[in-house]
Amino acid sequence: MKNYVISSIFIAGVMCMASCGGSDENPEKDLYEAVSASAFSYVSDNATGVGKVFDGPTYRVSYDNASLTATVKMENVRYADGEQPKSLVFSNVDWRFDNRTKARIIDASRLTPDGASAPVVTDLRIVTLAKAEVGDSEMDGMAVSYDVDGAVAVTNVPYRTVFAGTTETVNTGSQSSFVSTEPIYSVDIIPGTMTAVLKITGAKFDPNMPPLGVMEFSDLDVTIVDGGYILTSASLVPTIAGTPYPRYAVTGLRMEVELDGDSELRFTCMGVFDVAAVFEAAYTPAD
């Protein structure tokens, strides 16, 4: 997600909360604009549950910190096959600032575009994350989901999402546990096949184990759900630097991602290490 801060004195073309005149300490200052990262729309029919993928949507949100209202722009959005892409603008949308997470949150029950009576957007939820250090990079994120005309549910799904949190590994043989906050997890989704690649940087399942570099888990099954997705694999062999490592075989992998909140990953490695990782946010790297 790209962020820009526009003050009454200057324009800062960077994605940094700290550069918006101290908005981390005082959210009631200046205008903050957020732009979604590269993503696709997953549009699910509310009657049948059948989902379709539409490429290239962009969401722009300008937050007025003085009035606590926002202008939401939906660009290049489509909700049905054969439909021409369109742009929609919604003005004076209420939002709130979460003091704990520093996120800007929109929860709107019903909206219509400026100057029009349709389409009717309901249950719009947008969560814009503040920039944070994730590994060696600064990242932020934007989660968007809503319904259209009561007929379809839309989830904006980033092609790449990055997670950092707490990983606990239990050695079922010795019943010992190891907790680390060092591993960084990234997910790349391929919507054409509804598969994903999960990469773990700095994977380590035991205090005496050297870091394994970047472990890559390919061909994970993807199920899109309202506001997020689920990754699963019954069994797989990870690769490290392009080389398969059968000794690190993984079973029972399941990752439940809420793009606007908490996520969780679980799997068993080498038949003995039960791994559970929890994350409080889903970040997106700059395009």
Side-chain angles (χ1 to χ4, degrees):
M1 182 191 72
K2 302 175 182 176
N3 293 312
Y4 308 88
V5 177
I6 308 169
S7 77
S8 59
I9 301 175
F10 65 93
I11 297 177
V14 294
M15 298 189 301
C16 183
M17 293 286 286
S19 70
C20 58
S23 63
D24 277 346
E25 292 76 22
N26 179 15
E28 286 76 37
K29 185 177 180 181
D30 301 329
L31 182 70
Y32 183 84
E33 182 174 90
V35 183
S36 60
S38 180
F40 62 91
S41 292
Y42 188 82
V43 180
S44 177
D45 187 294
N46 287 338
T48 66
V50 175
K52 293 183 178 294
V53 171
F54 297 100
D55 189 39
T58 299
Y59 295 87
R60 302 178 187 272
V61 185
S62 295
Y63 295 94
D64 188 319
N65 295 320
S67 65
L68 291 181
T69 61
T71 298
V72 178
K73 298 179 180 179
M74 302 180 179
E75 301 173 355
N76 196 40
V77 293
R78 291 190 295 153
Y79 307 123
D81 287 331
E83 183 179 74
Q84 289 298 311
K86 55 178 167 282
S87 295
L88 307 171
V89 179
F90 305 86
S91 299
N92 298 314
V93 181
D94 293 335
W95 67 276
R96 59 187 172 87
F97 187 84
D98 188 309
N99 287 301
R100 184 182 68 85
T101 65
K102 308 298 184 188
R104 287 167 165 82
I105 301 172
I106 291 174
D107 281 308
S109 58
R110 186 181 189 278
L111 298 171
T112 54
D114 292 2
S117 59
V120 176
V121 170
T122 56
D123 298 326
L124 172 66
R125 181 169 173 83
I126 300 177
V127 176
T128 300
L129 297 177
K131 188 174 286 292
E133 292 285 344
V134 183
D136 296 328
S137 303
E138 285 190 324
M139 300 183 191
D140 46 25
M142 180 193 291
V144 182
S145 61
Y146 55 96
D147 280 23
V148 179
D149 292 331
V152 296
V154 182
T155 297
N156 190 58
V157 183
Y159 288 108
R160 172 170 291 180
T161 312
V162 180
F163 305 85
T166 301
T167 302
E168 181 178 12
T169 303
V170 175
N171 185 322
T172 58
S174 65
Q175 293 301 308
S176 60
S177 65
F178 171 64
V179 176
S180 176
T181 58
E182 294 182 5
I184 303 296
Y185 301 77
S186 66
V187 174
D188 290 279
I189 294 181
I190 303 97
T193 58
M194 274 300 156
T195 58
V197 177
L198 169 65
K199 296 179 181 179
I200 307 177
T201 301
K204 190 174 181 179
F205 307 127
D206 183 273
N208 299 316
M209 178 185 292
L212 297 178
V214 179
M215 294 185 74
E216 183 171 313
F217 305 160
S218 300
D219 297 321
L220 306 180
D221 293 327
V222 178
T223 302
I224 307 295
V225 296
D226 187 22
Y229 53 82
I230 298 172
L231 309 182
T232 56
S233 178
S235 62
L236 60 88
V237 173
T239 61
I240 301 175
T243 300
Y245 279 80
R247 67 169 296 192
Y248 295 127
V250 166
T251 57
L253 185 146
R254 182 179 179 88
M255 185 173 189
E256 298 182 2
V257 173
E258 293 184 17
L259 293 168
D260 64 352
D262 297 343
S263 301
E264 182 181 63
L265 167 67
R266 292 182 179 274
F267 62 86
T268 299
C269 183
M270 302 174 68
V272 67
F273 295 112
D274 285 346
V275 180
V278 292
F279 319 104
E280 290 188 349
Y283 294 94
T284 49
D287 293 339

